[in-house]
Amino acid sequence: MANFADWRDRMLQAAWRQGDDFPEGVLEWMSELYGEVGEISGEVFCELWTSRTFSMARAAFQVIEKSVEEETGKQATGEDYCYIDYVRDPDIGPVGVVRIKSVEVSTPDWEEILGTMAEGVQEFVMSHYRIVWPVCENHRTGLHVGYFRGISVWNCREGHSGGHVVRAIDPATRLY
Ligand SMILES: [Zn+2]
């Protein structure tokens, strides 16, 4: 595995990332990639990294868009407004960036992407419809994106214990 570790470090460097404390899912994907196609170049790696980030972002957006519609009856997407940009520009970095409202993500990590997209959609719902989404049913206040056991979640900051985890952002994910 010495070769893999060496290749992995070179690829992370090519993508302008640090190897330490890196999302488990990304490292697993890199390991699978190495097993399947071997030592690809940094340039090819950055292409794959970007397309994986972009497709994950599209999938995450669908999950969140569905939640918004079910919970508010409002559309988070439509012909009249587009607030997500998929940016691929060598001047700003070796990998593509997904921008949604004031937040952005450029790492193909599902939970990070889901959390970022949720934050962006929340911002859109607030600015476009003037409604707070999502809301804690107990405290009637707006929720905030957070992470719990590596899973992206909606957190409420109210309550006696100084806040609580309400649910996973992806309705298909069970927290406990
Ligand atoms: Zn609450």
Side-chain angles (χ1 to χ4, degrees):
M1 285 306 270
N3 285 346
F4 169 67
D6 178 56
W7 173 80
R8 185 192 61 200
D9 291 349
R10 275 190 285 125
M11 291 308 104
L12 290 175
Q13 219 168 17
W16 293 2
R17 302 302 146 129
Q18 301 296 323
D20 302 334
D21 196 23
F22 212 70
E24 201 64 39
V26 177
L27 297 179
E28 270 168 33
W29 167 66
M30 289 182 73
S31 168
E32 279 167 29
L33 195 61
Y34 185 82
E36 280 168 23
V37 295
E39 298 206 4
I40 52 173
S41 70
E43 200 182 332
V44 173
F45 176 75
C46 288
E47 284 295 330
L48 294 174
W49 172 293
T50 299
S51 55
R52 187 171 169 85
T53 304
F54 285 5
S55 71
M56 277 183 162
R58 289 190 180 94
F61 181 73
Q62 281 181 358
V63 168
I64 295 153
E65 175 202 358
K66 195 162 167 259
S67 293
V68 170
E69 205 181 324
E70 281 171 5
E71 291 162 32
T72 66
K74 306 283 189 195
Q75 303 279 337
T77 184
E79 281 178 11
D80 298 341
Y81 38 86
C82 177
Y83 53 97
I84 306 177
D85 283 323
Y86 295 86
V87 187
R88 186 82 171 91
D89 182 353
D91 286 344
I92 57 169
V95 296
V97 179
V98 181
R99 295 195 175 126
I100 173 165
K101 298 303 278 184
S102 70
V103 287
E104 62 177 46
V105 64
S106 60
T107 302
D109 175 61
W110 176 246
E111 296 303 333
E112 188 182 331
I113 288 178
L114 201 57
T116 307
M117 298 302 271
E119 229 176 309
V121 172
Q122 179 179 47
E123 207 177 313
F124 165 77
V125 169
M126 173 57 88
S127 63
H128 192 76
Y129 295 113
R130 307 274 161 209
I131 51 174
V132 176
W133 171 85
V135 169
C136 174
E137 288 181 5
N138 294 327
H139 299 105
R140 314 304 309 165
T141 54
L143 302 179
H144 304 267
V145 171
Y147 296 90
F148 175 72
R149 293 177 180 164
I151 294 168
S152 55
V153 295
W154 286 114
N155 278 328
C156 172
R157 290 179 185 164
E158 302 296 317
H160 297 301
S161 54
H164 61 106
V165 175
V166 177
R167 59 183 151 99
I169 289 173
D170 182 352
T173 301
R174 302 189 74 139
L175 277 185
Y176 303 103

